[in-house]
Amino acid sequence: MEASTTRHDDKGRGLVSDAELTAAQEAQEAGTAVRALTGSLRDAHGALANLGFGIARRYAGPLVTPVEVTHDFIAHNAYGVAGRVLDHGSDLFESAASTLGTRLPASRQVARRLGATSAFVQGLGGDHIANSPMAYRMTLRRSGRDVPVTRAALEQAYPDHAKSLVFFVHGFVGTEQMWKRRAARDDDGRRLSYGRRMEAAGDWSALWVRYNTGQRVSTNGRELGNLIGKVVDAWPEPVERIVLVGHSMGGLVVHSSLLQIPPGARWGELVTDTVTLGTPYHGALLERGVTKLTKEFDRHLATRWAAEILRYRSGGVKDLRHGNLLEDDWAGHDPDDPADWRQVARAHPQHIRHLAIAGTVTGDPHSARSRLLGDLVVSRRSARGLDATKWDSLLLGGVNHMDLLNHPRVYAVLADRLGVEALPLRHPRG
């Protein structure tokens, strides 16, 4: 074992090792660097977007305005949330360094802030750091902690384990905590997600997944399948039914896992339903626009530097351009080529029912405005599934992309679809 020296901190509060001190100092530097990088990306993004929309307006006139407004809304909120999260994370890192390695407080609030910071960074460039210790692995999560996939750990995490399992797979730059967005609370003060409601209402066990959203969807899909298979083998009692629920990119990961079921894998036969919420099956308009902008900037020497910045975005982001599911959809092709290389045939297992829920920010989901704006992230058409002839789809007006994560109307649809009693709950807090 490697030797490690210890010392008292500068206020005499206890022994800390040199390794802890170094880790805290490195964490401080990393936090500051990431915050600076995010600010630079925000400024570069804003400048590039203004230039790009200016060029587009010359050709398309006022038709560009709704797209620009939508883009500005998404970018403002995304960078605003990221900035607040990174500020909290940087403060925590600096506190750790100033106390010469004192361990960070192990509260759930701190864990959530750090988790959100890491998720944001990994979404932007997660494939570049996939082999580093800081990269998320495909894991089960419950009550803010990893759950090892062993019989003993699953029994401890799920003392009331059921025979029906529902897996929840979050979207881009997210964690499992996103399912608690604006959640109502039960009598014990716990925030209620769809999974907690299902557990309270019926014979279900809810399993939340965390993963590196910057990796390719095909990679995450394969890893999700492996995880589900291990859970089925280690579950404390025989599993009778599996349902997969995915939000945004999470829906692509769900369907990628189904298209990569290994021959003879028992878990594939147990899946009865998928439910996806705002999933860009046919691509995300913003990512397509960034791809075209990158190509345009690359043509001119004066803007080639901007193209290099945009090109650095992760493979996971680029999979959102067309809704890639398999490696064949992108392998061997220019990752920044706007062309759609997806394979047409999708051999999903025939026994599985699919429901695709699409939200629209307009009250009337069938209006022309709803077709243009969608849920402000994914278009109405893109979110309605891969096969309109065999899949069920539903439009919900007045529900934006993030609302889909925890909304009474969405839960009512989910409960009805799966035969779960829809328990009345207090209105979600703002």
Side-chain angles (χ1 to χ4, degrees), residues 102-272:
T102 300
R103 290 180 178 84
L104 292 176
S107 70
R108 291 183 183 178
Q109 185 178 19
V110 170
R112 283 198 297 269
R113 288 172 178 173
L114 294 178
T117 302
S118 183
F120 180 81
V121 174
Q122 292 185 64
L124 293 179
D127 52 347
H128 303 294
I129 61 170
N131 296 321
S132 72
M134 72 173 290
Y136 285 157
R137 304 293 180 256
M138 182 73 66
T139 56
L140 285 184
R141 301 278 295 179
R142 190 171 180 87
S143 299
R145 298 180 178 86
D146 285 349
V147 179
V149 186
T150 65
R151 188 181 184 90
L154 291 171
E155 283 183 330
Q156 182 178 8
Y158 295 88
D160 300 321
H161 48 79
K163 295 181 180 180
S164 296
L165 310 182
V166 53
F167 287 81
F168 290 91
V169 187
H170 62 75
F172 181 61
V173 298
T175 72
E176 77 289 346
Q177 295 295 330
M178 296 182 73
W179 295 102
K180 298 179 182 180
R181 181 179 183 270
R182 300 182 64 191
R185 295 182 184 269
D186 62 14
D187 293 336
D188 297 323
R190 294 189 314 175
R191 294 190 298 165
L192 288 169
S193 60
Y194 298 144
R196 291 290 189 184
R197 297 180 190 185
M198 291 179 66
E199 288 183 333
D203 187 24
W204 291 89
S205 290
L207 297 92
W208 291 272
V209 174
R210 178 182 287 192
Y211 65 101
N212 176 357
T213 61
Q215 288 194 126
R216 286 288 185 178
V217 166
S218 54
T219 300
N220 283 322
R222 184 170 58 252
E223 292 181 356
L224 176 61
N226 292 337
L227 178 66
I228 296 173
K230 292 177 182 177
V231 169
V232 169
D233 291 341
W235 197 249
E237 61 180 308
V239 177
E240 295 182 351
R241 183 183 184 185
I242 295 174
V243 172
L244 306 177
V245 180
H247 175 254
S248 196
M249 175 187 277
L252 298 180
V253 173
V254 161
H255 285 282
S256 177
S257 72
L258 294 176
L259 292 170
Q260 300 183 78
I261 298 175
R266 190 162 61 94
W267 72 268
E269 301 173 358
L270 300 174
V271 179
T272 63

Side-chain angles (χ1 to χ4, degrees), residues 361-395:
V361 292
T362 59
D364 179 3
H366 301 286
S367 68
R369 288 177 60 214
S370 75
R371 184 170 61 250
L372 177 66
L373 298 176
D375 64 13
L376 284 182
V377 176
V378 178
S379 72
R380 190 179 68 184
R381 173 185 172 276
S382 186
R384 297 189 71 174
L386 284 174
D387 191 338
T389 63
K390 297 180 180 179
W391 288 31
D392 297 320
S393 65
L394 179 68
L395 295 176

Side-chain angles (χ1 to χ4, degrees), residues 25 30 52 57 70 112 125 137 149 246 288 293 321 326 379 410:
Q25 291 172 331
R57 191 174 288 103
T70 302
R112 283 198 297 269
R137 304 293 180 256
V149 186
R288 290 186 182 184
L293 199 59
R321 187 181 316 145
L326 300 174
S379 72
V410 176

Side-chain angles (χ1 to χ4, degrees), residues 33-72:
V34 168
R35 185 165 53 177
L37 173 61
T38 303
S40 299
L41 286 173
R42 178 197 60 219
D43 295 341
H45 182 171
L48 294 174
N50 290 336
L51 176 60
F53 284 122
I55 295 172
R57 191 174 288 103
R58 275 186 252 159
Y59 295 97
L63 292 176
V64 175
T65 301
V67 180
E68 184 175 11
V69 170
T70 302
H71 165 272
D72 290 347

